[in-house]
Amino acid sequence: MTVQDLLYAELYTRHAPTAVDYFVSGMGFTRIADSVEPDRSSILLRQGETRLIVTSGPGTTRFLDRHGDGIADMAFSCDDVAATHDAAVAAGARSLGVSHGHPVVSGFGDVSHTLLPHATAATAELPPGRNWVPSTPAPDPAQEGPVRLLDHVAVCLEGHRLTEYADFYENAFGMSRYSSEYVAVGDQAMDSIVVRSDSGRVTFTLVAPDPSKEPGQLDAFIERNGGPGVQHLAFLVDEIIPAVRRMSEAGTEFLATPDSYYDVLAERITGMREEVAELRSVQVLADRDEWGYLLQLFSRSPYERNTLFFELIQRQGSRGFGSANIRALYEAVERDRLAAG
C-alpha cells in the first residue's frame, strides 16, 4: 500500500483571478483547463510535471474561513486505492467520503489526500474525475516556464506531533523516513523529519517548533493558519539564477538574504568562489552534501495571512534539503516576520 506520485496540489482561494495570475504571470505556469461545479470552480495549471488546481466558490468557504488561502488537498496516485484507503484509516486517518468519484482521507489539520489509481492517473493529461474543459488556445510548449517538477512539500505541524505524523505517513502511505534535522536559533528552535515514498516522487518535509523553546515563526504560522498546514511548495528548476531573475521581473517577491551570508559562503563551500558574486546578485542560497550541491531561494507569501510560500531549488547531485541553509531561511523569515510587525 504505497503512494507513487503527488498528482496535484489544490489551492483554495477567495479570489481565483489573483491567485491564477500569481502563478501564470509571476511563476510561468500555464492555464490548461477549467472545471465548473455547482459549489465551486477550478482552474488547472501546469508547468513541467507540476500540476496545481486553483479552486474557489461556496464549497471552499469553510476551509477559507479557518485558514485563509492555502493548500487544501494533495492527491496521491496509488497502486491499490482501496487498500491504501484502508491502511490510512487504520493508521488514524478519517475517511472523508468520495470527491469526484475518488476516496478522500484526512492528512494533517484540514488538508486532505484524494486517492487516485496510479495506472490511469499517471498518464492522464487531466486529473480524472472532473468535467474539465481545455483552455483555448492550446498551451505553447515553447513558452514553458523553468519549473520541472514539485521537489518537496514542507508541512508545518504543532510541537510534539512530529514523530506522530512521520509514523502516520509511513503506516498509511508506505513512506519512509529519509532524514531529520534540529535547528536552534537563539531562544527558538525547530525540528524536522523528511519522509519520502519508495518511488522518490512524493517527499514531505515535516517541520514543528520545539515547544520547550520560545515561540517563533512556526508557532506564528500555526496561529495565522489556524492550525497545521502546507508551509511551502518547493519547485525544482534546472537553472535557478535565470529563473529567479525572470520571476522577479514578473513581480514575484523573494526573501532577502543578508550580505554576511555571502561573506562566508566561499569559505564554507569550496570551489564556488567565482559564483558567489552572481549568487549574491539574486540572493540565492547554496549548500553542499556528500553527493553534490544545491541552490535555493524562497518567496514571500503572496497571501493575506502570510502563510503559504514557495521555493525554487536547483540540484547538482545533492539529495538533501539545504541543512546549512535551514538556519539562513529561519533567520530570513524571522526578519521578515518582525519587520511586518
Side-chain angles (χ1 to χ4, degrees):
M1 283 72 71
T2 59
V3 300
Q4 293 293 331
D5 211 339
L6 202 168
L7 290 175
Y8 61 79
E10 184 164 8
L11 174 83
Y12 281 6
T13 180
R14 293 194 186 279
H15 195 253
T18 300
V20 169
D21 183 66
Y22 179 85
F23 291 115
V24 173
S25 299
M27 301 196 80
F29 280 80
T30 299
R31 187 169 183 160
I32 300 297
D34 293 65
S35 172
V36 177
E37 302 171 58
D39 68 340
R40 68 192 67 197
S41 298
S42 298
I43 300 163
L44 176 64
L45 308 176
R46 188 185 66 204
Q47 188 172 174
E49 297 179 32
T50 303
R51 288 192 280 196
L52 302 177
I53 295 177
V54 176
T55 298
S56 61
T60 67
T61 300
R62 180 174 175 271
F63 180 94
L64 291 169
D65 286 346
R66 290 185 175 187
H67 310 291
D69 288 17
I71 302 300
D73 185 82
M74 289 183 288
F76 291 151
S77 69
C78 316
D79 291 327
D80 188 323
V81 169
T84 301
H85 171 274
D86 293 345
V89 171
R94 289 172 289 114
S95 180
L96 301 178
V98 175
S99 176
H100 306 100
H102 302 285
V104 183
V105 296
S106 62
F108 46 89
D110 285 335
V111 178
S112 60
H113 297 298
T114 299
L115 306 178
L116 302 168
H118 183 67
T120 56
T123 57
E125 173 69 16
L126 304 173
R130 308 192 200 201
N131 296 318
W132 294 110
V133 176
S135 300
T136 54
D140 181 0
Q143 301 300 314
E144 183 78 13
V147 172
R148 285 180 47 204
L149 51 83
L150 184 60
D151 185 87
H152 63 274
V153 178
V155 176
C156 188
L157 305 167
E158 309 102 318
H160 289 316
R161 301 199 70 185
L162 197 61
T163 299
E164 172 190 340
Y165 274 102
D167 290 343
F168 169 73
Y169 278 96
E170 182 176 1
N171 297 327
F173 303 110
M175 300 171 77
S176 303
R177 281 171 168 78
Y178 181 76
S179 63
S180 61
E181 186 81 18
Y182 182 85
V183 176
V185 180
D187 295 330
Q188 304 169 17
M190 62 169 282
D191 214 349
S192 68
I193 298 175
V194 177
V195 293
R196 174 174 285 175
S197 65
D198 288 345
S199 67
R201 295 182 62 81
V202 184
T203 303
F204 284 179
T205 302
L206 309 176
V207 299
D210 182 343
S212 69
K213 302 290 187 177
E214 291 296 315
Q217 64 182 260
L218 298 187
D219 303 272
F221 175 94
I222 291 171
E223 181 178 357
R224 292 193 306 269
N225 193 64
V230 174
Q231 184 206 43
H232 71 264
L233 302 178
F235 300 128
L236 183 71
V237 298
D238 288 327
E239 298 290 341
I240 192 171
I241 291 174
V244 169
R245 287 177 173 155
R246 171 177 172 174
M247 293 183 187
S248 296
E249 290 171 358
T252 301
E253 296 185 2
F254 293 94
L255 291 178
T257 306
D259 283 342
S260 58
Y261 173 87
Y262 299 98
D263 293 340
V264 299
L265 181 60
E267 300 173 7
R268 182 166 64 84
I269 304 180
T270 58
M272 293 193 66
R273 188 173 299 276
E274 295 181 0
E275 290 85 359
V276 168
E278 191 171 21
L279 295 177
R280 188 194 296 260
S281 71
V282 290
Q283 305 213 309
V284 166
L285 306 172
D287 195 22
R288 183 183 293 279
D289 59 23
E290 60 187 293
W291 299 284
Y293 70 90
L294 63 80
L295 305 174
Q296 59 192 155
L297 187 60
F298 303 86
S299 79
R300 282 193 170 90
S301 175
Y303 305 108
E304 183 178 0
R305 293 200 190 185
N306 190 27
T307 49
L308 175 70
F309 59 94
F310 306 99
E311 174 186 355
L312 299 183
I313 183 168
Q314 175 186 336
R315 294 186 181 276
Q316 297 299 128
S318 172
R319 303 178 191 176
F321 299 88
S323 60
N325 287 331
I326 292 177
R327 180 183 301 276
L329 167 64
Y330 195 98
E331 292 173 342
V333 173
E334 192 67 13
R335 285 193 306 275
D336 205 55
R337 181 177 74 91
L338 294 174

